[in-house]
Amino acid sequence: MTTSSATSPAYRPSAAKRAQLWLANHFAVISAILVLLYLFLPVAYTFAFSFNDHGKTNIVWQGFTWKHWQDPCRVAGACESLVTSLQVGVISTVVATVLGTMMALAMVRYKFRGKAASNLLIFVPMATPEIVMGAALLTIFVQGFTNIGISLGFGTIVFAHVMFCLSFVVVTVKARIQSLDPRIEEAAQDLYAGPMETFWKVTFPLILPGIAGAAMLAFSLSFDDFIITNFVSGNESTFPKFVYVASRRGIPAEANVIGFSMFVLAVLLVIGAQVVSSLRASKYKE
């Protein structure tokens, strides 16, 4: 029986063939690297130009300086808008997380009239374009809230952010609850644990990672939102709104400093959550 030349020990693939084989074996890695470069290129630009010694506009590199990092609040409105965004984000996250968790528990564990419609309607805010939701909320606030003496501002921003964050919290926590084994709670009840004790000692610790993930998602959505906020904020300024207004005359490098600092903080929180999750998983294995 003869051996083909392609499988004989003397066979050597050509350079083009070797290149094709190498590309096929590393295509996934190369694609991932290119996607990450595409995603993080704006972040790298933001970091680099936070050191730019610019004049009126921070577009062309003029020279290196530390002054923007030494005092990022020297531009009027930068830190004030950041504080407003953080306050709105924290309040809307807490409210949306509490309400969304209760809604998710009700939708998964209980049967009630209109449950199918509720499951469908919860996706409506997620599917609605932000400009449509912002215009609709503006109409509601102007026609309804002004009649009772409430004007556009901090309160209307929080109200709007809770509305669109709520759906994301419900979907995230609901997925976590559906993945739980109900027999665990039944075992706790068989051991004479009451409903509240079962919830706080069994159910809540199991769904806590989902709640934490939903809260982080809600905060990031709230902090990052501009379109809806621009409709309902009135004279109140959040950090995305400050950046938009500043872009008309040239975004200052101090905005780059604040933006990149928030990015680093978010990355550290994600890494910390992963470390805690890994430690808990290893503890359970032991």
Side-chain angles (χ1 to χ4, degrees):
M1 183 175 179
T2 59
T3 305
S4 63
S5 59
T7 57
S8 62
Y11 172 73
R12 292 292 184 272
S14 62
K17 186 66 175 179
R18 290 198 300 270
Q20 290 178 358
L21 291 173
W22 185 89
L23 182 61
N25 292 331
H26 297 83
F27 179 76
V29 176
I30 295 173
S31 300
I33 292 174
L34 291 176
V35 170
L36 290 175
L37 288 175
Y38 176 77
L39 291 175
F40 287 100
L41 184 61
V43 179
Y45 174 90
T46 301
F47 176 70
F49 276 77
S50 66
F51 298 99
N52 186 21
D53 190 12
H54 62 88
K56 292 183 178 180
T57 60
N58 188 24
I59 299 175
V60 180
W61 182 262
Q62 300 292 338
F64 183 88
T65 182
W66 285 100
K67 63 181 181 181
H68 308 303
W69 283 87
Q70 292 172 349
D71 187 15
C73 295
R74 68 191 187 96
V75 175
C79 288
E80 291 82 357
S81 61
L82 175 63
V83 171
T84 301
S85 287
L86 292 174
Q87 291 174 341
V88 170
V90 170
I91 295 174
S92 59
T93 297
V94 171
V95 175
T97 302
V98 173
L99 293 178
T101 301
M102 292 190 294
M103 291 175 63
L105 286 167
M107 289 181 176
V108 175
R109 295 297 171 86
Y110 298 97
K111 294 181 180 180
F112 53 90
R113 183 176 298 176
K115 181 177 180 179
S118 300
N119 284 320
L120 178 62
L121 291 174
I122 202 67
F123 287 97
V124 172
M126 300 172 65
T128 304
E130 289 190 354
I131 192 169
V132 176
M133 183 179 291
L137 288 173
L138 176 62
T139 303
I140 295 173
F141 293 155
V142 170
Q143 294 182 354
F145 282 23
T146 53
N147 295 331
I148 58 177
I150 299 177
S151 58
L152 298 177
F154 186 87
T156 54
I157 298 175
V158 172
F159 188 93
H161 284 208
V162 170
M163 178 173 290
F164 68 77
C165 288
L166 189 61
S167 297
F168 292 92
V169 174
V170 172
V171 172
T172 304
V173 178
K174 183 180 174 183
R176 177 66 180 177
I177 297 173
Q178 288 175 332
S179 66
L180 299 181
D181 188 352
R183 291 176 297 181
I184 299 177
E185 295 170 304
E186 294 173 0
Q189 294 173 358
D190 290 340
L191 295 173
Y192 304 103
M196 293 299 297
E197 188 176 9
T198 301
F199 175 78
W200 286 113
K201 292 187 177 181
V202 178
T203 307
F204 183 74
L206 291 174
I207 66 174
L208 184 58
I211 296 175
M216 293 177 64
L217 177 61
F219 181 82
S220 62
L221 290 171
S222 174
F223 184 86
D224 184 61
D225 182 76
F226 165 74
I227 298 177
I228 297 177
T229 303
N230 194 42
F231 276 95
V232 302
S233 59
N235 295 325
E236 195 74 41
S237 179
T238 60
F239 186 69
K241 188 176 178 180
F242 166 79
V243 173
Y244 174 76
V245 174
S247 65
R248 299 179 178 181
R249 58 181 183 271
I251 300 176
E254 286 75 9
N256 291 18
V257 172
I258 296 173
F260 184 76
S261 300
M262 295 303 299
F263 170 78
V264 172
L265 179 61
V267 171
L268 292 177
L269 288 175
V270 172
I271 294 175
Q274 291 294 329
V275 171
V276 172
S277 178
S278 300
L279 291 175
R280 290 181 61 184
S282 61
K283 181 179 179 180
Y284 289 145
K285 289 180 180 180
E286 294 177 355

